């Protein structure tokens, strides 16, 4: 069974609008971590934001925020005031267990920002 | 510059060749990873080394042979590959103990083409 589900293969968003990228996950662990990565066309994987399962506040990093809904097992990425440079693949990922070294990824969402 | 260096960046090999991919991390992390990224597929976790010990082998064919001589270096030895093994191979490192979030730091990848 897929542990990380990203249901949006592609999205088109007008520049300066906010965008939400969906991610749901499946785990029976109480302790886990959720990550979002960005992969531009150049190929490098860039870490964006992290949310721990015990964190009570939603994580924020600049224009990125994570809408963490634990009961729904949802960890959506919100990008505010989108920019042309935000066009990229976005991957949601999960680490299970405290100290566990295994991190698995979803299939990704390709985001296109339109001028 | 993420602190993780992969060589070579591009590799073309025949099915009977033997080659190796190299990864080096300068971050003092205790875990290193190999991921495979094929077109239209999620990142596939191949191998994990934690303190030089292999902790994950995700049902990878034996034609891929990892080696981790120390916590800073990771190799992927390639032997009698198939055309479907053509992909981007990403190395990553992380610090998985203590209060760290354990996010992955990726190299720029090695683009492998098997003829």
């Amino acid at each position: 069974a897929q542990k990380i589900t990203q249901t949006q293969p592609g999205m088109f968003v007008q520049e300066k609008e906010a965008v939400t990228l969906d991610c749901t996950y499946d785990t029976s662990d109480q302790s886990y971590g959720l990550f979002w990565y960005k992969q531009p066309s150049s190929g490098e994987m860039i870490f964006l934001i992290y949310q721990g399962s015990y964190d009570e506040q939603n994580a924020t990093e600049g224009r990125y925020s994570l809408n963490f809904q634990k009961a729904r097992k949802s960890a959506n990425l919100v990008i505010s005031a989108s920019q042309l440079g935000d066009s990229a693949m976005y991957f949601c990922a999960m680490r299970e267990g405290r100290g566990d070294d295994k991190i698995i990824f979803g299939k990704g969402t390709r985001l296109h920002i339109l001028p | 510059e993420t602190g993780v260096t992969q060589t070579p960046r591009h590799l073309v090999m025949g099915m009977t060749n033997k080659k190796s991919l190299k990864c080096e991390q300068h971050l003092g992390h205790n875990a290193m990873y190999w991921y495979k990224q094929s077109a239209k597929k999620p990142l596939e976790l191949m191998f994990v080394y934690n303190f030089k010990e292999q902790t994950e082998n995700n049902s990878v064919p034996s034609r891929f042979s990892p080696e981790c001589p120390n916590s800073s270096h990771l190799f992927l030895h390639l032997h009698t590959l198939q055309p479907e093994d053509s992909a981007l191979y990403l190395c990553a490192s992380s610090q998985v103990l203590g209060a760290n979030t354990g996010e992955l730091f990726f190299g720029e990848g090695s683009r492998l083409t098997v003829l």
Side-chain angles (χ1 to χ4, degrees):
Chain A
Q2 208 169 357
K3 290 222 169 186
I4 301 286
T5 303
Q6 294 182 254
T7 57
Q8 306 149 309
M11 288 185 71
F12 289 83
V13 173
Q14 209 65 41
E15 190 181 8
K16 299 181 185 177
E17 290 185 353
V19 56
T20 298
L21 305 180
D22 296 340
C23 174
T24 57
Y25 58 92
D26 181 28
T27 182
S28 56
D29 283 358
Q30 295 301 308
S31 176
Y32 52 90
L34 298 158
F35 307 84
W36 277 92
Y37 284 84
K38 172 184 178 181
Q39 188 178 39
S41 56
S42 51
E44 75 269 29
M45 293 285 283
I46 303 167
F47 167 70
L48 296 178
I49 197 167
Y50 168 82
Q51 180 84 42
S53 57
Y54 293 119
D55 295 340
E56 295 184 351
Q57 303 277 352
N58 285 344
T60 60
E61 288 287 348
R63 292 187 300 113
Y64 304 108
S65 60
L66 202 151
N67 184 359
F68 181 45
Q69 299 188 40
K70 196 169 182 176
R72 293 185 179 183
K73 295 188 175 178
S74 163
N76 297 341
L77 177 71
V78 180
I79 306 175
S80 63
S82 59
Q83 302 171 355
L84 295 177
D86 293 333
S87 295
M89 280 290 287
Y90 288 81
F91 294 96
C92 181
M94 177 174 67
R95 172 178 53 80
E96 289 184 291
R98 191 168 188 81
D100 195 354
D101 50 20
K102 182 177 175 180
I103 300 179
I104 54 173
F105 285 76
K107 291 184 178 181
T109 295
R110 183 166 294 282
L111 178 63
H112 303 268
I113 305 298
L114 304 172
Chain B
E1 180 63 48
T2 63
V4 180
T5 304
Q6 287 187 245
T7 55
R9 295 291 310 281
H10 300 273
L11 178 63
V12 180
M13 58 187 290
M15 289 191 284
T16 58
N17 292 159
K18 286 185 182 180
K19 297 285 184 183
S20 296
L21 305 181
K22 178 183 175 182
C23 178
E24 184 175 359
Q25 59 101 356
H26 308 276
L27 302 167
H29 289 163
N30 55 14
M32 295 188 75
Y33 306 72
W34 281 115
Y35 282 88
K36 176 184 178 183
Q37 186 176 29
S38 308
K40 299 182 181 179
K41 281 189 171 183
L43 271 77
E44 300 172 62
L45 178 62
M46 299 176 73
F47 301 104
V48 182
Y49 279 82
N50 197 333
F51 286 106
K52 302 188 300 176
E53 299 296 321
Q54 188 179 120
T55 57
E56 182 73 24
N57 178 340
N58 203 20
S59 303
V60 180
S62 59
R63 58 185 183 270
F64 294 92
S65 174
E67 180 189 359
C68 188
N70 54 62
S71 55
S72 297
H73 293 86
L74 184 64
F75 295 88
L76 188 62
H77 303 299
L78 314 170
H79 176 51
T80 59
L81 295 190
Q82 305 298 311
E84 61 264 29
D85 296 323
S86 298
L88 181 68
Y89 289 84
L90 290 162
C91 174
S93 70
S94 73
Q95 185 69 16
V96 295
L97 294 179
N100 302 284
T101 61
E103 78 260 29
L104 296 169
F105 291 75
F106 282 89
E108 294 179 300
S110 294
R111 173 73 61 187
L112 173 66
T113 302
V114 181
L115 301 177

